[in-house]
């Protein structure tokens, strides 16, 4: 107990987030949460667009026109990434729940696949003219 | 149902809705890719099919439950002060209620077409 004061002194005084090296699984997990928040924020606009799209021919055209706006497209690209990451990372979590890919190497490989796969697929979709 | 849906029940709700939403998203993606340029008539015809309508309604309910459990977890993890926590949970509930109402009003409107 006598050296507890020394140890207290040696503790870091402030947190430098840049000095923290996160393992790849932690990145996948944090992005899973972040993408979940983004998707939650998209729920109300999405519900509004749904109700607009069923309100009639004019409403449907208005919803399409809104989704075609350049600024909206930018958000849609971000949401597409958020959805893909949430989808892929969610499948990874379900696999881990089911006891698959639990050894460290496999879990890390899957995490890399998710973290890189989501932005790649989103980019591919946009480049392939998926927005129509 | 317990509004806070804590513990094992929340865990099960999160996974079950995740499985359904993943399957629905996969199906919707294939349908969307096949449909080509979306038109009002095609959208109407798609939603007028009872199977699609039921699948949509289930997706809306799943999405609301899934979003509630997820946002609840995040609020519990990062908002320690009780007053702030309750305010955040209230805000989440309000957003989900508004989105749910809009979505179900839209689905009821679409049901009248069939």
């Amino acid at each position: 107990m006598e050296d507890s004061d020394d140890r207290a002194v040696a503790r870091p005084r402030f947190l430098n987030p840049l000095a923290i090296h996160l393992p790849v699984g932690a990145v996948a997990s944090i992005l899973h949460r972040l993408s979940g928040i983004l998707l939650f924020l998209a729920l109300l606009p999405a519900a509004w667009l749904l109700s607009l799209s069923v309100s009639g021919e004019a409403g449907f055209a208005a919803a399409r026109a809104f989704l075609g706006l350049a600024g909206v497209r930018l958000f849609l690209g971000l949401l597409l990434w958020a959805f893909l990451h949430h989808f892929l990372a969610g499948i990874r979590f379900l696999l881990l729940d089911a006891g698959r890919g639990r050894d460290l190497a496999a879990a890390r490989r899957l995490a890399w696949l998710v973290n890189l796969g989501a932005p790649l697929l989103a980019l591919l979709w946009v480049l392939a003219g998926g927005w129509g | 149902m317990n509004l806070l849906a804590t513990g094992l029940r929340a865990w099960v709700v999160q996974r079950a809705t995740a499985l359904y939403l993943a399957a629905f998203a996969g199906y919707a993606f294939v349908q969307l890719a096949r449909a080509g340029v979306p038109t009002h008539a095609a959208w109407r015809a798609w939603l007028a099919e009872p199977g699609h309508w039921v699948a949509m309604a289930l997706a809306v309910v799943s999405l609301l439950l899934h979003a509630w459990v997820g946002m609840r977890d995040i609020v519990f993890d990062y908002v320690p002060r009780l007053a702030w926590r309750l305010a955040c949970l209230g805000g989440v509930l309000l957003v989900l209620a508004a989105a749910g109402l809009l979505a179900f009003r839209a689905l009821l409107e679409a049901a009248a077409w069939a």
Side-chain angles (χ1 to χ4, degrees), chain A residues 6-120:
Chain A
D6 292 347
R7 241 184 268 149
V9 169
R11 286 170 69 188
R13 292 290 183 82
F14 55 85
L15 185 70
N16 178 3
L18 294 177
I20 298 173
H21 181 73
L22 281 178
V24 64
V27 174
S29 177
I30 286 174
L31 291 179
H32 190 71
R33 290 204 150 181
L34 189 75
S35 58
I37 293 174
L38 281 176
L39 291 168
F40 168 77
L41 293 176
L43 278 182
L44 202 49
W48 170 70
L49 282 170
L50 174 68
S51 70
L52 194 60
S53 78
V54 299
S55 68
E57 196 100 39
F60 185 84
R64 275 205 71 188
F66 176 78
L67 289 175
L69 296 173
V72 175
R73 286 269 160 115
L74 211 65
F75 273 108
L76 281 181
L78 185 68
L79 279 176
L80 180 64
W81 165 79
F83 172 78
L84 285 168
H85 185 89
H86 208 77
F87 180 83
L88 294 174
I91 289 174
R92 175 172 173 269
F93 282 137
L94 286 173
L95 285 175
L96 292 176
D97 281 346
R100 307 279 307 217
R102 259 195 182 154
D103 66 288
L104 198 55
R108 286 208 174 130
R109 263 201 308 279
L110 271 176
W112 276 110
L113 208 66
V114 168
N115 292 350
L116 297 178
L120 258 168

Side-chain angles (χ1 to χ4, degrees), chain B residues 18 22 29 38 45 53 70 88 93 101 109:
Chain B
F29 174 78
W53 192 92
C88 288
L93 268 185
L101 274 174
E109 211 164 324

